């Protein structure tokens, strides 16, 4: 069975049909740049462009980089335009695609759902975090395999600032940090989350996960197991498609 998934990020909007039997993309993903400012109308146009690229007809699952309540209403918008707040994203995106059935889920939650079903979290009980490092830091918390939605722990205070302003991949790139320097920042963030929640497993996702060998071995003193996401930066697309199936 195939369902279409779209992942809205701070820098790009990417999507593809997803083979839900394998938990993998059924075709090479297509990406457009996230518009700036990333207003609802402009982002909706980008999502429609990604879906139209494949000539897709059918349900579409879509991630959003912020809190989404009741599968529709946007409550936060840290890395897109603030005019998203209180928008009915499901209605807007469905209308832009001619009435297509749409589901909307927090981006890190989508990545987490996919990793727990098909990736590094498969079969793990207890407390598990999937953390996505990119423009910001996304978090997905699972208790015995069940998602606790919209945790948004990239906004924990760390050193007087949002953690994602201290340890996201964007911060690394903007300041041209070495892997060693950035790994120390990630370590400080993980230690803070570990102090609060005592998880048994951290799964590190986002685009940087494909370079996990460059920084994960540099992180010391974390008691939880620390592993890269197996689905890497496709996890959000896969999880969005999974959510679309659940709500169909």
């Amino acid at each position: 069975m195939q369902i279409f998934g779209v992942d809205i990020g701070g820098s790009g909007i990417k999507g593809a049909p997803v083979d839900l039997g394998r938990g993998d993309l059924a075709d090479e993903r297509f990406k457009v740049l996230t518009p700036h400012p990333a207003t609802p109308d402009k982002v909706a146009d980008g999502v429609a462009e990604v879906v139209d690229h494949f000539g897709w007809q059918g349900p579409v699952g879509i991630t959003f980089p912020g809190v989404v309540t009741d599968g529709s209403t946007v409550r936060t918008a840290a890395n897109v335009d603030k005019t998203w707040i209180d928008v009915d994203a499901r209605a807007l995106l469905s209308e832009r695609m001619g009435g297509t059935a749409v589901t909307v889920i927090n981006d890190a939650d989508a990545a987490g759902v996919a990793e727990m079903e098909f990736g590094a979290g498969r079969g793990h009980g207890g407390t598990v975090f999937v953390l996505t490092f990119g423009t910001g830091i996304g978090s997905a918390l699972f208790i015995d395999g069940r998602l606790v939605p919209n945790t948004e722990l990239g906004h924990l205070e760390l050193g007087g600032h949002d953690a994602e302003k201290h340890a996201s991949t964007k911060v690394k790139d903007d300041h041209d940090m070495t892997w060693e320097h950035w790994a120390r920042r990630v370590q400080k963030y993980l230690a803070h989350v570990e102090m609060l929640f005592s998880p048994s497993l951290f799964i590190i996702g986002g685009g940087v996960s494909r370079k996990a060998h460059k920084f994960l071995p540099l992180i010391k003193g974390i008691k939880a197991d620390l592993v890269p996401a197996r689905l890497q930066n496709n996890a959000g697309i896969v999880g969005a498609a999974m959510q679309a199936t659940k709500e169909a």
Side-chain angles (χ1 to χ4, degrees):
M1 179 181 182
Q2 292 187 10
I3 295 287
F4 203 93
V6 178
D7 190 10
I8 299 172
S11 60
I13 301 169
K14 53 189 181 293
V18 174
D19 183 333
L20 292 175
R22 297 186 297 114
D24 200 0
L25 306 190
D27 202 343
E28 184 176 351
R29 72 187 190 188
F30 178 70
K31 178 179 179 178
V32 299
L33 295 179
T34 301
H36 293 286
T39 60
D41 281 339
K42 289 182 178 179
V43 170
D45 286 342
V47 171
E49 181 180 350
V50 169
V51 176
D52 288 346
H53 174 79
F54 293 88
W56 180 261
Q57 300 292 322
V60 178
I62 302 171
T63 77
F64 183 81
V67 170
V68 179
T69 57
D70 301 320
S72 61
T73 305
V74 173
R75 297 302 186 194
T76 66
N79 294 306
V80 290
D81 196 79
K82 302 304 182 191
T83 53
W84 271 103
I85 295 175
D86 293 330
V87 166
D88 185 335
R90 179 164 54 194
L92 170 67
L93 293 163
S94 176
E95 182 274 331
R96 194 57 50 90
M97 290 184 284
T100 294
V102 165
T103 60
V104 185
I105 181 175
N106 172 268
D107 56 349
D109 286 350
V113 166
E115 279 295 326
M116 293 300 288
E117 179 68 23
F118 296 107
R122 187 180 181 105
H124 280 268
T127 302
V128 175
F129 271 104
V130 179
L131 300 172
T132 58
F133 288 79
T135 304
I137 299 174
S139 63
L141 168 61
F142 295 84
I143 308 295
D144 291 330
R146 295 177 64 87
L147 173 67
V148 180
N150 292 314
T151 49
E152 289 286 273
L153 296 184
H155 302 296
L156 285 172
E157 184 177 318
L158 196 64
H161 303 281
D162 270 11
E164 67 178 26
K165 304 298 184 186
H166 181 79
S168 69
T169 308
K170 183 178 187 298
V171 169
K172 177 190 182 302
D173 293 342
D174 286 350
H175 295 279
D176 197 25
M177 293 180 188
T178 64
W179 289 107
E180 290 79 6
H181 185 180
W182 185 64
R184 287 196 296 272
R185 292 192 173 203
V186 174
Q187 177 179 302
K188 184 176 180 181
Y189 171 66
L190 294 176
H192 190 56
V193 174
E194 186 167 67
M195 179 269 295
L196 292 171
F197 294 95
S198 301
S200 58
L201 176 66
F202 283 117
I203 301 171
I204 305 301
V208 76
S209 60
R210 67 181 181 272
K211 300 179 181 178
H213 62 285
K214 293 188 175 183
F215 68 94
L216 284 189
L218 303 174
I219 296 173
K220 309 297 182 183
I222 303 301
K223 296 180 177 64
D225 291 337
L226 185 59
V227 300
R230 290 182 191 164
L231 302 181
Q232 298 183 352
N233 211 24
N234 290 334
I237 297 174
V238 175
M242 291 172 64
Q243 189 70 12
T245 301
K246 290 177 182 177
E247 296 187 16

